[in-house]
Amino acid sequence: FQGMPATPDSVQGSGDVKYHMGASADRQISGQNVHLSLSPNPSHLEAVNPIVAGRVRAKQAQKKDTARQQVMGILIHGDAAFPGQGVVAETLLLSGLDGYETGGTIHIIINNQIGFTTTPEYGRFTSYPTEIAKSIQAPILHVNGDDPEAVARASRLCVDYRLQFGADIILDIVCYRRHGHNESDEPAFTQPVMYQAIRDKATTLTVYTETLTKDGIAADELAQIKATFESRLEEAFAIASEYKPAKADMLDGAWQGLQLASGVERRGETGVDKDTLKKITTAMTTVPSDFALNSKIARQFEAKQQAVASGHDIDWATAEALAFGTLLNDGFGVRMTGQDVGRGTFSQRHAVLADQNTNVRYIPLQHISDEQGMFEIYESPLSEYAVMGFEYGYSLADPKSLVLWEAQFGDFVNGAQIMIDQFIASAETKWLRMSGLTLLLPHGYEGQGPEHSSARLERFLQLCAEDNIQVANCTTPANYFHILRRQMHRNFRKPLVIMTPKSLLRHKGCVSDLSELTTEKTFRRVIKDATKDLADGKKVRRVVLTTGKVYYDLLQARDERGIKDIALVRVEQLYPFPGDALKRELSKYPNADIVWCQEEPNNQGAWFFMDRRIEQVLVEMKHKTSRPRYVGRPEAASPATGSLKRHGVEQAKFIDEALAK
């Protein structure tokens, strides 16, 4: 707070303004050591709420605190923000749900009866700012901030209630703001009558001193208490001017053993031996003998067993289940939430089964072995903002669990944009807080309209810098398997954003061999064109670079037209940009022109991000083509057309252009 750097010299980062920074300390309270942790948070007033709840839940899990008595969350609100910010209601909604409960949060509202310059009559139409808490039947205590003893009693009551009933409670401290919003603000500009009353009003210290004097406490004793406290403040102020953190604490506690990410090869050991894969397959497709399994799911399980036994035709959902199962078998936790995640939005996952006679739930991946990691999977309420924030908070506290949030459709992720911008993309550089949160965002143009096509890939790529996040658009089940396992099998953590498929979930060409998941294999950032009858590299006239589902559309059209001199190269990891891998691949085609083909409109998708990066690769390798050429849909305000017929016309046009002579 004295303006000194908030981070030690050994750590790089942009930092943040002082009142956004987090802190932690151990304190002796009533003879017991209590660890206090203040979450770093941005000026988006209530955005940190679900993050705190997620951190609490993770710490309770680490302590095996099923009674939820050892870790507690406290949220401090403003009276304008509590009813005004929607994330407050979303977080309250989570408080009583199985997948998100923490045993109750204490909410403290500092009710100074103003929101920056907005008075209550303009900021809400209710008598109190706490009405929204009635939706969860939380007790609400209103207390006079000018009565410190009443505030203390009410605070103790909140703690007792939370410990007894394991539910949220609200403490509304009705007070006032003596000065302006900041040091240079003049509040009388907008609230002259209120601030005349405040100027005429004795301070809380004066009021309480008079109360204690009437109770018989000597004036000189009160003066000594005040002087002692002021001396303590002055001493701390002097120390603060010379304070400098000795080391970063981001790798303390649960993060011990992990490291900061480096620029060296970062593949991780992600392959798994065949015997283990077969063991996991048996576990994930087996139910108790008295469990009435849906007949359609039973057939899907048989198909998974046959695929693994034969070593061929591993589809997307099977690869995902194998990734989860092998991580659990390795001792890691896996936690997944989102709308419809148990079944999967596209009826592909079936990680949570329902007995057809009793509706009792059974989760096969919880029954691999007695030593396995904890597997949690919960269908979330219809919330993106708070639920993603909760999972982000969980990932901050538990680096030994793969924490995933899945959007029902990728388009809906923008309902949580604040979480992405303020936390996921920038928290490591601002606050030295790492996260391994994985976002699964169904993405792909199948003519389903503007809200069921795009996860806004371009927005994530625009946020990429300083090795902050990973953005991928995988096209094979094997690559998906490896990138999920890579999240845990490296010595650092980074958020991962994956554009996941919809139609490819059942595409006959979108399958992998079991051998691609085994010990010698790993994640491929760039996938070469391995077509057997492709022309010799020097005779290839064009390389079409692409990412995601459109590869299969291009492949089908190329095969139907018998084209042998166009290579299709897939960029599976968009950031960190795989320039070295791309350079190695393009060097095979010295005489080809280079096309970037995408199904998204020109102003969306990956084009603006990839354009100059591909150009840099071509310049460095002195390729005959100096810049890539764009092929795809034209610029558009909407992510996609709502007409299936128009969608087909658009797609046929750019496929023709990509493969034209």
Side-chain angles (χ1 to χ4, degrees), residues 23 135 162 188 190 203 226 255 333 340 350 359 415 468 510 629 631:
S135 66
R162 189 267 178 199
T190 49
T203 66
K226 180 180 177 183
W255 292 81
D340 310 306
H350 298 299
N359 207 40
N468 59 336
C510 186
R629 178 168 61 88
V631 173

Side-chain angles (χ1 to χ4, degrees), residues 2-45:
Q2 288 288 337
M4 297 295 291
T7 58
D9 293 336
S10 59
V11 176
Q12 298 299 313
S14 63
D16 202 353
V17 294
K18 56 193 177 184
Y19 48 88
H20 290 176
M21 305 300 289
S24 62
D26 291 319
R27 298 290 180 89
Q28 289 292 321
I29 299 177
S30 301
Q32 295 191 47
N33 187 63
V34 177
H35 182 73
L36 301 177
S37 179
L38 174 70
S39 280
N41 61 100
S43 290
H44 291 64
L45 296 174

